[in-house]
Amino acid sequence: PPGPHGEPGEPGHLWTLNSGFLLVIHSQSVQVPWCPEGSTQLWVGYSLVYLEGQEKAHTQDLGQAGSCLPVFSTMPFSYCNTAACHYSSRNDKSYWLSTTAPIPMMPLVGQDINSHISRCVVCETVTPAVAFHSQDHKAPACPPGWRSLWTGYSFLLHTGAGDEGGGQSLTSTGSCLKDFRTQLFIECQGARGTCHYFANLYSFWMTTVTQTDQFVIPVPGTIKTAEQQRHKASQCHVCTRRL
């Protein structure tokens, strides 16, 4: 038979779980986004899409912490060779997520740039976040046991000067941007200290595909109105597992 109950144990220790999973949120506005409930803010910054040096693109995953630089500069790097290092002395470029500020006729300089650069935040979370894509104009549901962080549009890749650019992994949260934009990012020319929306800046988005559209020849077309563009773009959902 069971014996008598023993003496009560010592009080337990309350430990805080620090997992080290990083979540990056880009607001696509001048407002700094908030970290979701249950996460810890590490730093805030500006949304870097990619850098161009020696006429080659070096892209950032918008779902990784490296895409959120704490300080903005049109030229955030220098280049070095065997003799010396040089800063802002040639036509290297940086590209940043933009805001909804009106597109200017002339290149921006100085404080005028500020209202055109998206803000971001890096958070520490207890579980990783994953992007799910519907290839439909409705956002997919989070899987059972997962909770929603945000919904958005399925962003694939981008190109800029010299047809250089990069892309996003479709599992990365950087492939699910909260807002759809035809003019998604802005080019900054480091040596000049200016930023502008040039006509050769292209963004590529997943489109909606119905079951009947599979294995058939796509029909070409041009989509001009903002409402139709959003309706044609695939929607996505960023989710994280519940504890």
Side-chain angles (χ1 to χ4, degrees), residues 134-139 152-154 179-182 205-210 213 223-236:
S134 67
Q135 295 180 270
D136 189 75
H137 59 84
K138 295 181 180 178
Y153 296 87
S154 304
D179 195 11
F180 175 88
R181 309 270 176 81
T182 55
W205 305 78
M206 285 190 73
T207 188
T208 57
V209 181
T210 66
D213 287 337
I223 308 169
K224 292 187 176 181
T225 68
E227 182 180 356
Q228 289 177 328
Q229 289 167 353
R230 283 181 168 82
H231 190 77
K232 186 63 176 174
S234 166
Q235 291 209 26
C236 51

Side-chain angles (χ1 to χ4, degrees), residues 3 27 39 46 77 80 101 129 135 140 160 168 177-178 183 193 195 200:
S27 69
S39 63
Y46 298 87
F77 64 95
C80 303
Q135 295 180 270
Q168 305 294 312
L177 294 183
K178 293 183 177 182
Q183 201 72 56
C195 300
N200 62 348

Side-chain angles (χ1 to χ4, degrees), residues 180-202:
F180 175 88
R181 309 270 176 81
T182 55
Q183 201 72 56
L184 180 67
F185 58 101
I186 189 169
E187 175 186 305
C188 296
Q189 298 183 338
R192 298 180 182 179
T194 60
C195 300
H196 195 49
Y197 300 91
F198 292 99
N200 62 348
L201 304 182
Y202 294 94

